[in-house]
Amino acid sequence: MARVYNFSAGPAALPEAVLQKAAKEMLDYEGTGMSVMEMSHRSAAFGDIIQGAEASLRKLMAIPGNYKVLFLQGGASTQFAMVPLNLMGGTGKADYVNTGNWSKKAMAQARRYGAVHVVASSEDKTFSYIPKLDAGTFDPEAGYFHITTNNTIYGTHITKLPDTGTVPLVADMSSNILGEAYDVNRFGIIYAGAQKNMGPSGLTVVIIREDLIGGAMDSTPIMLDYKTHADAGSLYNTPPCYGIYMAKLVFEWVLDLGGVAAMERINREKAGLLYDFLDNSSMFSATVSGDDRSIMNVPFITGSDDLNAKFIKEAAAQGLVTLKGHRSVGGMRASIYNAMPREGVVRLVNFMKTFEKENT
Ligand SMILES: *Cc1c(COP(=O)(O)O)cnc(C)c1O
């Protein structure tokens, strides 16, 4: 069996130990004689799985009792609609920070339901930095204030959370949830598609403060009302059962490693190896500088499209795959989420050194 080091931005690599456990339990989950995929979502066995997943996530993120954890479908992109449908009804206004493609898509969706105020944007420089935020420009009447904590495509990261007072802070945390520690109390809603740091695609995790549930606009589809899923314990309809099971295994894997703080230390070390090399290389360079750098997605370039293409091709031959940058940015991008072992980053850096020598 030849496993590669997969630097995909998403769906992304999963911990090998988790895949092995799932493989072992594929045909007969804990003596039930069936796969989790074949099991009623109302069975006792699945009840234990979804409750176990929630308990582990609560432990990992120290989620306070006044927050609900929802296991939904539709990806982060459906949250782009659910958030305004549920939170914009009061004043019809919301604040957004525009830090990339995902923020833009979130804003485009929110504009269908109310007035979007762009507090700040980094679009002028292809989203290569995080714009400075001035609390004086925040709308105190906004139904919520939306940020993207980690910008998957551009490799930027919000280091200092804005202080939004009584306006609930809503975060798209798709690409760095469980990759670094956050105080959940700072947020009204955290949402994330699972396929970067938590499991397979098809599962979306929402962590929502209870007082933000129940205010959906009248026209909100029942499936897009947080109350529907909160009241039903995420079992209003058939949830993404297998995704929830896989996420549970990933949560347990992070707990075994020491939790999110331990994971963050490992991630910082991994990212440091790569950034250190990039900052000292005469061929390769990072496209983001300073504090705004993501520790999950690291875009980099050589300065020549031909060399970029050659690098991506030769790296793949070494088992270092999916290094091509997003089509809107070009160059390369190494996504080094929780499941990327340190050894994968070391191998990447060593190959970059060799490539640099051979091509200068
Ligand atoms: C991947 C990603 C999305 C899109 O997620 P889907 O689950 O495909 O809808 C949204 N936001 C961020 C920050 C992402 O990384």
Side-chain angles (χ1 to χ4, degrees), residues 78 80-86 88-89 91-93 96 106-116 144 217 219-221 224:
T78 297
F80 297 166
M82 277 180 87
V83 167
L85 281 167
N86 283 267
M88 224 183 196
T91 60
K93 300 200 287 183
Y96 277 75
M107 293 190 297
Q109 181 66 76
R111 283 194 185 101
R112 296 195 169 190
Y113 307 113
V116 166
Y144 60 93
M217 295 176 192
S219 61
T220 304
L224 300 188

Side-chain angles (χ1 to χ4, degrees), residues 24 79 88 117 121 141 153 202 283 300 311 319:
K24 233 173 78 197
Q79 293 310 306
M88 224 183 196
H117 170 224
S121 170
E141 286 181 1
I153 296 173
M283 173 181 285
F300 57 95
F311 174 78

Side-chain angles (χ1 to χ4, degrees), residues 80 83-84 87-88 93-96 110 142-146 167-170:
F80 297 166
V83 167
L87 266 56
M88 224 183 196
K93 300 200 287 183
D95 278 355
Y96 277 75
Y144 60 93
F145 188 107
H146 185 280
V167 174
L169 183 62
V170 174

Side-chain angles (χ1 to χ4, degrees), residues 74-78 80 102 148 150 152 172 174-175 193 195-196:
S77 300
T78 297
F80 297 166
W102 298 119
T148 311
N150 184 79
T152 325
D172 177 354
S174 293
S175 54
Q195 68 272 23
K196 277 88 186 221

